[in-house]
Amino acid sequence: RGKLAGGDAAQAPAAAATYETLRVMIDPDGKGYFYINGKQVGTLAAAVSVNVSLTPVVMIETRAASALSFDLDYIEVRGGRV
């Protein structure tokens, strides 16, 4: 979790043993909208280039020496871009 433009600065880290629904929407102009559990937590004006094909990726990253893991129940990808 991080701070995005127009986002909620009070976003706490995800708690262990809890479920969250994360949603990313990209409009036709490349603007990104980000949601956690149905609540909009940020926007990004130039999230993607409108001339580039997209591939969804789910990942976790740590900047510490210890390993991190997460469980992913499902991913849904829809798009009308060509």
Side-chain angles (χ1 to χ4, degrees), residues 1 7 9-10 14 22-23 26 31 42-43 48 53 60 63 65-66 70-71 76 81-82:
R1 290 185 173 196
L22 308 178
R23 182 177 184 183
I26 306 295
K31 184 174 183 180
T43 59
V48 298
S53 297
I60 189 168
R63 295 183 184 182
S66 58
F70 69 97
D71 293 320
E76 178 182 344
R81 296 179 66 168
V82 201

Side-chain angles (χ1 to χ4, degrees), residues 19-74:
Y19 289 95
E20 291 188 318
T21 300
L22 308 178
R23 182 177 184 183
V24 177
M25 293 177 51
I26 306 295
D27 72 13
D29 296 323
K31 184 174 183 180
Y33 301 87
F34 305 89
Y35 300 84
I36 298 176
N37 296 326
K39 178 184 175 194
Q40 187 173 358
V41 296
T43 59
L44 190 57
V48 298
S49 171
V50 297
N51 299 318
V52 175
S53 297
L54 303 177
T55 301
V57 175
V58 179
M59 63 177 276
I60 189 168
E61 179 181 50
T62 180
R63 295 183 184 182
S66 58
L68 294 176
S69 65
F70 69 97
D71 293 320
L72 177 67
D73 287 329
Y74 69 92

